[in-house]
Amino acid sequence: MGTSDSGRRAYIGSFTAAGGLGITSAAVDPESGALTPLHSTDALANPSYLVPSPDGRHLYAVSETTDGAVAAFALTPRGPELLAPAVAVDGADPTHLTLAAGHLVTANYSSGSVSTLPVRADGSLGGPATVLAHQGSGPRTDRQEGPHAHAVQPAPGARRLLSVDLGTDSIRICGLGSDGALALHDEVRLRPGSGPRHLAFHPRGDRAYVINELDPTVTLCRWDADGGALTLLGETRLLPDGVEAAGTFPSALVLSPDGRFAWAANRGHDSISVLSLDAAGDTATLVTTVACGGHWPRDLALAPDGRHLYAANERSGDVTWFAVDPRTGIPVRGGAVQAPAASCVVFV
């Protein structure tokens, strides 16, 4: 297994409470896509989701615990090194985070809230957190008894942030102030019981795609940056005709750099759905599903050049990589590396 001379690294998050190693750094072979683990650190409990700084010098991680927190790491040749003690987000079980307007923003699942913390010039985090609490519920009383913020995403073309709430079947559009305060601009309702989980934008920035966890579908939306408006366009089912939805819980969605394809991970069905998008991005057609290479794919990641796709298979404890056919978008399995309780993959 070769290693990259380009210095590209992958970072794998995991659940330490389930035997994960914390954050693992790996070299990336640019030709095969293969990962070679280099270092790991368990300095933070349950670093289930990661985001790198734009300059590639720092890595930020949630601590998905009841006493939710985030931490900043310096990326060194020895691997990620904790910059300072973790900072509380004043929310429970943060599952996702992003960087926006000089702040780190987290989605806190169990408390149904979104938190923002300032990022200092040296990459460390300030506090205390500014918190926006979600309100509402959904028809699935087993999973939607209250709000469950699951993801946060900066909106292209405007100083706005979109938060995806599985418990309320809605997307909240917020303005982000220079002080980190979030001001609710609009709340867009999705189909009741769909359980929206994550959101990805088209490379053009004028379309958004929401993956739903409680019913295996993707909701297609138009995004108007000027007005801060999200308009629903339709849904696409992620499973082939005749396959029962029960027991399948989609988790993650990524788009190709040219906007022609999207891929969705399906836990339970243990597959990756391949979607073909029309030129406008208004329709998505299910091309096929392929095996994810393991069990319970919690996250999908696309290499920056779009040539390789990675599935973080939480329950089988591995990360599988695939070569993407540029003509059909169909991923072809290349190999896998052990990664106990793997939960996400990011690239620097």
Side-chain angles (χ1 to χ4, degrees), residues 52 62 71 149 181 247 284:
V62 299

Side-chain angles (χ1 to χ4, degrees), residues 43-205:
L44 184 71
N46 292 349
S48 65
Y49 209 87
L50 314 171
V51 64
S53 62
D55 62 9
R57 296 174 55 201
H58 299 101
L59 186 72
Y60 299 93
V62 299
S63 178
E64 191 173 334
T65 58
T66 302
D67 299 321
V70 286
F73 291 79
L75 295 180
T76 77
R78 299 173 299 279
E81 295 185 353
L82 198 62
L83 272 180
V87 179
V89 300
D90 294 337
D93 297 304
T95 57
H96 192 258
L97 78 172
T98 193
L99 290 162
H103 289 80
L104 189 70
V105 188
T106 68
N108 311 314
Y109 181 83
S110 293
S111 55
S113 60
V114 174
S115 302
T116 65
L117 299 107
V119 178
R120 298 178 176 134
D122 65 354
S124 64
L125 298 169
T130 300
V131 181
L132 175 69
H134 289 184
Q135 305 292 332
S137 60
R140 286 279 301 270
T141 55
D142 57 333
R143 296 290 307 278
Q144 297 183 310
E145 78 294 341
H148 290 303
H150 213 304
V152 285
Q153 190 72 33
R159 195 174 172 126
R160 292 192 173 97
L161 193 82
L162 275 62
S163 61
V164 182
D165 197 301
L166 183 149
T168 63
D169 292 319
S170 63
I171 312 293
R172 287 170 175 81
I173 303 167
C174 296
L176 178 60
S178 58
D179 61 352
L182 290 167
L184 184 62
H185 169 72
D186 194 13
E187 184 174 1
V188 178
R189 303 286 178 178
L190 277 66
R191 179 169 52 80
S194 56
R197 178 182 170 96
H198 275 224
L199 179 148
F201 280 97
H202 191 282
R204 284 197 316 264

Side-chain angles (χ1 to χ4, degrees), residues 262-323:
W263 300 274
N266 302 306
R267 295 169 299 175
H269 193 247
D270 288 343
S271 66
I272 299 170
S273 299
V274 183
L275 302 171
S276 175
L277 305 178
D278 71 344
D282 290 347
T283 63
T285 302
L286 179 63
V287 176
T288 189
T289 59
V290 299
C292 70
H295 180 33
W296 212 252
R298 186 178 177 88
D299 189 39
L300 280 182
L302 193 67
D305 61 10
R307 294 171 56 195
H308 296 97
L309 186 68
Y310 297 79
N313 299 313
E314 180 185 351
R315 294 185 181 175
S316 55
D318 50 63
V319 174
T320 305
W321 58 85
F322 302 79

Side-chain angles (χ1 to χ4, degrees), residues 164-247:
V164 182
D165 197 301
L166 183 149
T168 63
D169 292 319
S170 63
I171 312 293
R172 287 170 175 81
I173 303 167
C174 296
L176 178 60
S178 58
D179 61 352
L182 290 167
L184 184 62
H185 169 72
D186 194 13
E187 184 174 1
V188 178
R189 303 286 178 178
L190 277 66
R191 179 169 52 80
S194 56
R197 178 182 170 96
H198 275 224
L199 179 148
F201 280 97
H202 191 282
R204 284 197 316 264
D206 61 354
R207 299 291 185 273
Y209 306 88
V210 183
I211 190 164
N212 300 311
E213 177 174 336
L214 302 185
D215 187 24
T217 55
V218 167
T219 302
L220 290 75
C221 310
R222 180 181 296 111
W223 169 247
D224 173 17
D226 291 336
L230 196 67
T231 305
L232 305 186
L233 297 173
E235 282 186 1
T236 297
R237 193 171 189 266
L238 293 174
L239 299 178
D241 290 343
V243 175
E244 287 294 326

Side-chain angles (χ1 to χ4, degrees), residues 22-40:
I23 301 172
T24 298
S25 59
V28 184
D29 186 300
E31 294 306 316
S32 69
L35 302 181
T36 303
L38 301 172
H39 316 91
S40 62

